[in-house]
Amino acid sequence: MTTQLTEPAVAWRADPYAEALRAGRGPLYLRRGDGWLLPLEVERWCAEADAADATVLDRCTGPVLDVGCGPGRLVAALAARGHRALGVDVTPEAVARTVRAGGSALCRSVFDPLPREGRWGTVLLIDGNIGIGGDPAALLRRAARLASPVGSLLVEVATADVDERVEVRVDDGRGGRGAPFRWARLGTRALCAEAAAAGWTPSLTWQAAGRGFVDLRR
């Protein structure tokens, strides 16, 4: 099947991001038009799942879909725990790293047709991936179509009380920049407001190692 990539999907294939994944390290940022930089934790993404990740993995039930899986640490950890897990990512290098780590992954957008639609026990939006596409409402509705009627959506949120929809670029801090695309950042309060409109109800919120998470149910 040939996939027609959207604008943000093409942007995440930009050289600064792909090169950082190949190297397994940054620096790498999302840069807003006003020059503000959001550091991206490439080294953590390319390492094994840590204690904060384990609090997410412990809440996964049934088959798990990791949206924006990156280099695949969560998919690999889930597979090691005996879960049926699939990662999806628009960056070929991310998919390749996931497979090398022992996981399964597809090079595809979350908005493309995906296997097991409506039957995933858990859907993951970790590492800021609620920002995909810059439209959290659309992403939450899409997640509702992917999860089973009794499934859960586990979302990592900003620890600050923020609700931001902006245009950004991937930036390596050394002059390399990708194409502009839309992105979002949501804190717990903003996520819960958006989730309600998409048919999700917060079941649990928690923090671990300075990171924030929300467990949403249908």
Side-chain angles (χ1 to χ4, degrees), residues 62-79:
V64 183
L65 180 68
D66 185 4
V67 176
C69 66
R73 75 185 190 284
L74 299 182
V75 177
L78 285 162

Side-chain angles (χ1 to χ4, degrees), residues 157-171:
V157 292
T159 53
D161 186 12
V162 63
D163 184 354
E164 182 178 68
R165 326 297 167 91
V166 294
E167 184 176 88
V168 295
R169 296 173 183 262
V170 178
D171 189 313

Side-chain angles (χ1 to χ4, degrees), residues 84-103:
R84 180 182 302 175
L86 176 68
V88 294
D89 203 287
V90 297
T91 306
E93 181 60 28
V95 171
R97 285 195 66 127
T98 299
V99 173
R100 290 198 298 270

Side-chain angles (χ1 to χ4, degrees), residues 126-208:
I126 307 301
D127 298 330
N129 284 329
I130 186 61
I132 290 172
D135 187 348
L139 185 56
L140 289 164
R141 290 193 299 269
R142 176 60 174 147
R145 295 193 297 271
L146 293 169
S148 78
V150 295
S152 64
L153 173 62
L154 304 182
V155 183
E156 184 167 354
V157 292
T159 53
D161 186 12
V162 63
D163 184 354
E164 182 178 68
R165 326 297 167 91
V166 294
E167 184 176 88
V168 295
R169 296 173 183 262
V170 178
D171 189 313
D172 66 6
R174 301 183 296 271
R177 297 184 186 178
F181 60 98
R182 301 295 299 175
W183 195 251
R185 288 200 309 142
L186 274 65
T188 299
R189 182 166 61 174
L191 173 69
C192 290
E194 292 283 3
W200 294 102
T201 299
S203 172
L204 180 70
T205 65
W206 76 98
Q207 291 196 4

